[in-house]
Amino acid sequence: MATIFNSLPLFSIFIIQLIVLSSAAGFTVDLIHRDSPKSPFYDPSASRTDRLTNAVRRSFTRAASHSRKQNCLAPNNIQSEIIPASGEYLMKISIGTPRFQVLVIADTGSDLTWTQCKPCKNCYKQKAPLFDPKQSSTYRALTCKTRACQALGAFSSCRQDKNICQYSESYGDRSFSRGDLAVETFTFGSSSGQALSFPTKVFGCGFSNSGTFNETASGIIGLGGGPLSIVRQLGKEINGKFSYCLVDLESSSTSKIKFGEDAVVSGKGVVSTPIVRKEVDTFYYLTLESITVGSKRLAHKTKLPSETGSSFKVEEGNIIIDSGTTLTFLPVDLYETMEDELVKAINKKNTADPQRFFSLCYSDTSIVPPALTFNFKGGAKVVLPPSSTFVLNGDLLCLAMVPVPTTDLAIFGNLSQMNFLIGYDLEKSVLSFKPTDCDKQ
């Protein structure tokens, strides 16, 4: 069996634990995969095939939810369609004064951070104690006319009796969180005793929360691109920068995410592409111009008429990058052209996936497929090795990319991001890739 392929291609959930802190340079955080023995979600009875099946299902659910969120553009109709159990990370942080540690789902597809709070009359079961705002000297509920309350738009309401802004987050599986919008001190800390605190950060104190949330986590921390996400709120304190490097899951090392000047991606091999702002500002949109299979370049088929009407141009922001989605989802026309070229290049008989998750599979797991290059705007050529494009699915070797209708959202998933240092510069609206041995980060 070929050793270049990943037998556990599941970057769906990680635990984030602070390991290095520096107020000048930023801070670095460990990412632990949900199926690692270090994870509270770890199930020792689950087989490799079980874990892959679960990750793929979460990937499809998350992709469908992202598409629904993008296509619902009317402000009163938009819902935060992120499924709590699909493609998240976990993050250990502390809130309040004195510090109160919570374990929250970190989601690049959500903005508002919230946690369950006392008194909670309608809460899902949670193993850890609930945060009590009355015990914190730095907790402050926000009034209805504050800028943060207005930023929630249709997701906010006002408690007229106390003039307190209330939030309401609904998710695609009918899970929800409701409570007071507030500000509090967020602290990132480590067992070494080092800590870095950020005061007056907006979050939701949830007094009514229900649905499919896991009892291990206390809530969600939003890492999206919207104004209320934690990375946007940290803003100048991290110079609008964060980056991560995802290791191969066969590795004994852990992945890393960095904030601040430590997150700058530079040096030999770096390629960069613009981050495109669109109506749904939670997502990080990129512009995919083409895909190269081996040496054959395949133009992106999703195009819009140009101003002249006689020629065409590639749509800006036609794909998002999402560290919480396992697979890569491509428009059906582009996918089918790419698959045809892969079949020709591999020149082996393919086999149908009995679970019908994957479109292209081989029973011969020793095949060595050609490299795929994703060509993004600005000349950013991201060359994906076979270990990032094909995964072991039971006894089959399958392409970890699937087609979606052209009306759905295309997603550059985390398998395609393996062993790249990926940097987000939100001040310059630029995303950078650098081929990197993430084991050494």
Side-chain angles (χ1 to χ4, degrees):
M1 183 173 293
T3 59
I4 61 173
F5 301 105
N6 296 291
S7 59
L8 298 175
L10 315 175
F11 289 97
S12 299
I13 298 181
F14 295 77
I15 300 171
I16 302 182
Q17 183 178 19
L18 195 66
I19 59 168
V20 179
L21 284 169
S22 168
S23 58
F27 52 95
T28 300
V29 176
D30 267 356
L31 302 179
I32 303 173
H33 186 261
R34 66 164 289 163
D35 289 314
S36 163
K38 298 179 182 179
S39 166
F41 285 175
Y42 178 66
D43 181 1
S45 66
S47 67
R48 175 183 59 79
T49 301
D50 292 336
R51 292 193 289 270
L52 175 60
T53 298
N54 291 334
V56 170
R57 284 175 175 160
R58 289 192 299 268
S59 204
F60 277 104
T61 301
R62 185 174 175 88
S65 299
H66 281 340
S67 293
R68 287 196 296 271
K69 182 171 184 177
Q70 177 186 245
N71 293 333
C72 295
L73 296 179
N76 291 331
N77 294 328
I78 296 178
Q79 284 192 337
S80 180
E81 292 275 5
I82 308 305
I83 308 300
S86 62
E88 309 92 347
Y89 300 75
L90 291 176
M91 186 171 188
K92 284 183 180 180
I93 63 171
S94 293
I95 57 176
T97 306
R99 298 169 189 164
F100 185 89
Q101 188 178 83
V102 293
L103 184 65
V104 287
I105 298 168
D107 194 348
T108 55
S110 291
D111 291 325
L112 182 65
T113 296
W114 63 265
T115 187
Q116 296 202 111
C117 292
K118 288 184 178 180
C120 203
K121 296 180 180 179
N122 180 29
C123 280
Y124 62 88
K125 184 180 179 181
Q126 177 181 314
K127 290 182 178 179
L130 272 62
F131 174 65
D132 187 351
K134 292 182 180 179
Q135 301 301 314
S136 173
S137 63
T138 47
Y139 177 89
R140 178 169 59 87
L142 294 178
T143 59
C144 301
K145 292 186 178 180
T146 56
R147 187 174 299 177
C149 187
Q150 294 173 358
L152 284 175
F155 302 121
S156 67
S157 60
C158 184
R159 283 180 58 185
Q160 298 292 345
D161 57 332
K162 295 185 177 181
N163 189 27
I164 293 177
C165 180
Q166 294 191 302
Y167 75 92
S168 179
E169 286 285 306
S170 298
Y171 299 88
D173 62 348
R174 298 184 180 180
S175 298
F176 64 86
S177 175
R178 301 177 187 130
D180 294 346
L181 197 67
V183 292
E184 185 55 282
T185 296
F186 279 55
T187 301
F188 300 84
S190 69
S191 58
S192 66
Q194 295 175 309
L196 193 61
S197 296
F198 301 95
T200 61
K201 300 307 173 189
V202 177
F203 83 114
C205 205
F207 300 114
S208 179
N209 320 287
S210 184
T212 60
F213 301 105
N214 188 286
E215 64 183 18
T216 304
S218 304
I220 286 177
I221 186 166
L223 299 174
L228 293 184
S229 78
I230 194 66
V231 290
R232 287 289 184 184
Q233 289 192 68
L234 289 174
K236 294 181 180 178
E237 292 162 300
I238 60 170
N239 294 319
K241 297 178 179 66
F242 71 97
S243 67
Y244 53 76
C245 203
L246 302 178
V247 300
D248 186 317
L249 287 184
E250 297 294 331
S251 172
S252 59
S253 302
T254 56
S255 301
K256 301 289 191 297
I257 184 170
K258 299 181 179 183
F259 298 88
E261 289 307 306
D262 280 351
V264 174
V265 179
S266 60
K268 184 179 179 181
V270 175
V271 295
S272 300
T273 188
I275 297 174
V276 180
R277 298 301 298 271
K278 302 184 82 169
E279 284 192 74
V280 182
D281 57 7
T282 299
F283 301 140
Y284 297 107
Y285 292 89
L286 309 178
T287 301
L288 177 64
E289 295 182 336
S290 64
I291 295 176
T292 302
V293 181
S295 60
K296 186 163 185 178
R297 189 180 179 106
L298 310 172
H300 197 310
K301 296 296 184 180
T302 303
K303 297 185 178 180
L304 297 176
S306 69
E307 294 179 359
T308 64
S310 60
S311 61
F312 294 84
K313 60 182 181 181
V314 175
E315 179 186 2
E316 295 284 311
N318 55 21
I319 190 169
I320 68 168
I321 181 169
D322 184 17
S323 60
T325 300
T326 301
L327 303 179
T328 287
F329 292 80
L330 296 172
V332 61
D333 290 344
L334 179 60
Y335 173 86
E336 289 178 348
T337 305
M338 177 191 70
E339 184 184 286
D340 288 345
E341 291 301 320
L342 282 170
V343 169
K344 292 177 186 177
I346 295 171
N347 196 26
K348 296 276 188 177
K349 183 180 179 180
N350 53 59
T351 304
D353 175 17
Q355 298 187 82
R356 298 183 179 180
F357 288 138
F358 300 100
S359 296
L360 180 62
C361 295
Y362 291 90
S363 57
D364 182 358
T365 58
S366 66
I367 64 169
V368 181
L372 295 179
T373 302
F374 277 61
N375 303 299
F376 294 99
K377 185 176 180 179
K381 300 180 186 299
V382 180
V383 182
L384 305 181
S387 58
S388 294
T389 55
F390 277 77
V391 295
L392 284 171
N393 175 30
D395 295 328
L396 300 177
L397 192 63
C398 298
L399 177 65
M401 300 181 187
V402 293
V404 292
T406 53
T407 54
D408 284 2
L409 191 62
I411 302 173
F412 192 69
N414 56 41
L415 280 177
S416 299
Q417 301 174 46
M418 257 192 333
N419 282 315
F420 284 94
L421 180 58
I422 300 178
Y424 296 69
D425 188 331
L426 304 185
E427 291 186 347
K428 295 181 179 179
S429 293
V430 170
L431 186 134
S432 299
F433 297 87
K434 182 181 181 180
T436 302
D437 182 351
C438 293
D439 284 323
K440 298 179 180 179
Q441 288 295 295

